[in-house]
Amino acid sequence: QVQLVESGGGLVQPGGSLRLSCAASGSIFSINAMGWYRQAPGKQRELVAGITSGSSTNYADSVKGRFTISRDNVKNTVYLQMNSLKPEDTAVYYCNANVRTRATMPWTAWWGQGTQVTVSS
């Protein structure tokens, strides 16, 4: 089993910043891609940012230039630095990781429980 535990969400005013963290633990042989998704009320879950094991990144157009994804491969942790936050960034943010629990096992996607980010004055 693999656990992804997110932290760092909360309430922030427009223009403010937050940093999300997601630590993976459990039966981990290796992790390749990791990412952050979000889901606002009444909307589908969408990709916010992704990062490969080699640290190549991709971002949703709506967050480019404001959000930065990074990872620490030693700690099995992925981060999302969110700057210049807008009310439309309000959502539950979920961490995702593609994990192999053994060398002979296939890659499997795991999800965190989600952390609420609210941007409001």
Side-chain angles (χ1 to χ4, degrees):
Q1 284 283 24
V2 175
Q3 298 81 39
L4 299 181
V5 179
E6 298 123 333
S7 60
L11 173 63
V12 64
Q13 291 187 343
S17 298
L18 283 175
R19 189 189 193 213
L20 305 182
S21 300
C22 171
S25 62
S27 301
I28 296 172
F29 176 76
S30 67
I31 304 176
N32 55 17
M34 302 184 81
W36 289 95
Y37 290 71
R38 66 186 181 188
Q39 187 167 18
K43 294 188 177 182
Q44 288 190 336
R45 190 174 296 189
E46 62 174 358
L47 175 68
V48 175
I51 185 167
T52 68
S53 56
S55 295
S56 295
T57 59
N58 64 289
Y59 296 92
D61 287 343
S62 59
V63 306
K64 282 180 181 176
R66 300 189 297 122
F67 291 9
T68 302
I69 189 170
S70 60
R71 66 190 284 172
D72 184 328
N73 290 330
V74 173
K75 296 181 179 180
N76 288 335
T77 300
V78 63
Y79 306 96
L80 186 67
Q81 177 66 44
M82 304 185 294
N83 299 328
S84 302
L85 282 160
K86 305 175 180 180
E88 50 264 42
D89 294 317
T90 296
V92 178
Y93 284 69
Y94 297 91
C95 171
N96 170 271
N98 242 17
V99 179
R100 185 179 278 178
T101 56
R102 293 182 181 179
T104 55
M105 296 296 286
W107 295 101
T108 304
W110 293 84
W111 292 88
Q113 80 286 354
T115 185
Q116 177 70 46
V117 171
T118 302
V119 185
S120 175
S121 55

